[in-house]
Amino acid sequence: MVPGAKNSVLKLMAACLLADGTSEISNVPRIADVSIMSELLEAIGLRLESPETGVLRVTNPGDLTPVAPYELVERIRASINVLGPLLTRCGHVRLSLPGGDDFGARPIDMHIAGLEAMGAEFKVSHGYLEARADRLHGAEVVFDFPSVGATENILTAAVFADGVTRIDNAAREPEVVDLCRFLVAMGADIEGVGTATLTVRGVERGSLRPATHRTVPDRVQAATYIAAVAVAGGELEMVDAHANHMDMLLARCRDMGVDLEPFTTDGVEGLRVSCSQRLRATDVQTLPYPGIATDYKPLIITMLSVADGVAIVTENLYPGRFRYVEELIRLGADIRTDGHHAVVRGQPRLSGAPVRAHDIRAGAAMVVAGLAAEGTTTISGVRHIDRGYDDLVGRLAAVGADITRVED
């Protein structure tokens, strides 16, 4: 069973700032980032409890303190998602500039520009971003790039804005769609869900209601298990893996020689994965959804490192996201990077060695690389993996991987 998506559940939790009462979110992954986001929301004034595994109840008593402190914000990039809800709900917010994974600059200029178009005023003081708006108003917001975070912040801010907000070149990721569906269930008026144009008609503050919602499955976790089968061989059946959320990735995996077959059991989608031959090299480039996500790239480069032939991988979103290549080279991979590009010459096998996880997805790639390596691979820095993966070690061990976690 593929767990709920990290990149969705954190945004659903932040959206609970908009409605008084108790909302219930299910299919919540057991990851460190959920715990960190819970601490942040509790500092703002929400109450969170988990009555059973995979379920989170979020109670908004209505008495919020719209301040996001540094010691929590610097631990998680998704903390920026409280900006839109707090500003539109409370009229002001004080937010420490967010942290998260270190793989290149990810500015929030588009978040600020969109909210300024809606009437917000910003200033930066003593490391904090402060925003004010008695009541936001509708606006035409056009993004130069379909930023997921900016789309989510403008979307949540527009829910209580006066009039109509139109977001053009909006991000279309399944996680954005998931947030839209949650907001609609709460009473928001949103059209164009799943398209590049979102139209939000503002409703009165206090008119949203709590909702019950199931988090969309994590397509990046699903991709990780596909990559594991691709490099190690064998077959795997993944329940609650949505093939239509990964169309371009699955196409490239098929080009490499991975067999993929969608199925449905009792109304639940799934994906059968098998690979019985050495992978074939194929060129890949990252693009905004529905293109190949940048989160997939460390997994793809790991797959190509043991493929037959030479491939070029182009990073169009975060050019600094190649730090993990040095770790793959330690395992025997033949990879050269030049700016936005990586040239990967596949080797028959990698060789086990000590490596480090630099961020969440790079850490998962190291685990996959270890499955493709002769001997033992020891990975340090696994706290990064804990931020985004629900028992990666246990799930792989359960399907035959020789993998254990050793506490330091």
Side-chain angles (χ1 to χ4, degrees):
M1 177 73 75
V2 177
K6 163 191 175 292
N7 289 337
S8 182
V9 70
L10 304 177
K11 320 315 176 49
L12 300 175
M13 293 167 67
C16 293
L17 292 164
L18 293 167
D20 292 354
T22 301
S23 292
E24 184 170 287
I25 305 170
S26 60
N27 199 28
V28 176
R30 293 176 295 168
I31 57 175
D33 272 15
V34 167
S35 298
I36 298 170
M37 181 60 89
S38 296
E39 291 181 50
L40 174 60
L41 294 176
E42 285 172 344
I44 293 170
L46 302 189
R47 296 194 302 270
L48 296 97
E49 60 178 343
S50 180
E52 58 185 280
T53 301
V55 174
L56 195 62
R57 286 182 184 156
V58 185
T59 300
N60 184 341
D63 183 17
L64 304 179
T65 302
V67 177
Y70 169 79
E71 60 271 15
L72 294 173
V73 170
E74 62 96 18
R75 295 166 60 191
I76 182 172
R77 178 73 188 180
S79 58
I80 191 65
N81 280 83
V82 305
L83 175 60
L86 284 178
L87 180 59
T88 199
R89 171 73 189 265
C90 302
H92 60 101
V93 59
R94 188 167 184 261
L95 173 72
S96 175
L97 295 176
D101 285 332
D102 178 18
F103 51 78
R106 293 187 287 179
I108 59 172
D109 296 1
M110 285 191 288
H111 303 241
I112 293 173
L115 292 169
E116 283 180 332
M118 299 170 68
E121 296 180 352
F122 287 87
K123 71 174 183 177
V124 176
S125 177
H126 304 291
Y128 278 81
L129 179 71
E130 297 186 43
R132 288 190 175 275
D134 289 338
R135 185 176 183 188
L136 296 171
H137 57 73
E140 295 279 334
V141 178
V142 182
F143 292 133
D144 294 332
F145 174 85
S147 162
V148 171
T151 298
E152 292 165 338
N153 257 328
I154 303 305
L155 177 67
T156 51
V159 165
F160 289 147
D162 183 18
V164 179
T165 300
R166 178 186 171 102
I167 308 172
D168 282 323
N169 201 19
R172 294 180 283 162
E173 276 78 353
E175 295 80 18
V176 175
V177 172
D178 205 34
L179 175 61
C180 287
R181 289 173 176 165
F182 184 47
L183 293 171
V184 168
M186 296 168 76
D189 186 347
I190 304 171
E191 294 181 358
V193 175
T195 75
T197 301
L198 293 172
T199 302
V200 187
R201 291 175 177 82
V203 299
E204 289 298 319
R205 286 178 181 169
S207 65
L208 293 192
R209 56 189 178 273
T212 299
H213 183 83
R214 187 177 190 276
T215 310
V216 68
D218 196 318
R219 58 198 171 103
V220 184
Q221 287 210 46
T224 303
Y225 299 117
I226 292 172
V229 173
V231 303
E235 55 186 53
L236 184 66
E237 190 171 279
M238 295 188 294
V239 178
D240 217 9
H242 291 201
N244 63 321
H245 292 173
M246 305 179 285
D247 284 337
M248 291 297 293
L249 173 70
L250 299 189
R252 295 291 80 76
C253 288
R254 289 187 175 104
D255 290 343
M256 287 187 238
V258 182
D259 293 320
L260 298 152
E261 180 187 354
F263 68 88
T264 303
T265 300
D266 297 328
V268 178
E269 296 181 43
L271 191 63
R272 294 187 184 91
V273 188
S274 63
C275 191
S276 58
Q277 58 189 350
R278 186 180 177 189
L279 297 172
R280 298 184 295 269
T282 187
D283 294 343
V284 178
Q285 62 176 322
T286 63
L287 289 168
Y289 190 85
I292 300 290
T294 192
D295 277 352
Y296 296 145
K297 184 166 59 64
L299 301 167
I300 291 171
I301 289 183
T302 301
M303 294 166 65
L304 292 171
S305 69
V306 292
D308 183 15
V310 180
I312 298 175
V313 179
T314 302
E315 172 58 75
N316 291 310
L317 305 178
Y318 299 114
R321 202 173 188 183
F322 279 119
R323 289 184 62 191
Y324 55 88
V325 164
E326 296 176 1
E327 305 301 317
L328 289 173
I329 291 172
R330 285 179 54 80
L331 295 171
D334 185 349
I335 307 170
R336 301 291 183 270
T337 60
D338 181 11
H340 292 246
H341 309 284
V343 179
V344 188
R345 293 176 173 83
Q347 305 298 305
R349 291 285 287 176
L350 302 180
S351 57
V355 292
R356 174 171 292 277
H358 289 292
D359 61 60
I360 299 172
R361 309 309 176 188
M366 291 305 104
V367 173
V368 172
L371 298 176
E374 295 177 345
T376 301
T377 299
T378 303
I379 305 166
S380 58
V382 295
R383 68 185 184 282
H384 291 294
I385 299 175
D386 293 338
R387 288 186 48 219
Y389 282 84
D390 188 331
D391 192 19
L392 180 60
V393 170
R395 291 175 186 274
L396 287 173
V399 294
D402 185 357
I403 180 172
T404 56
R405 180 167 181 142
V406 180
E407 298 299 333
D408 187 357

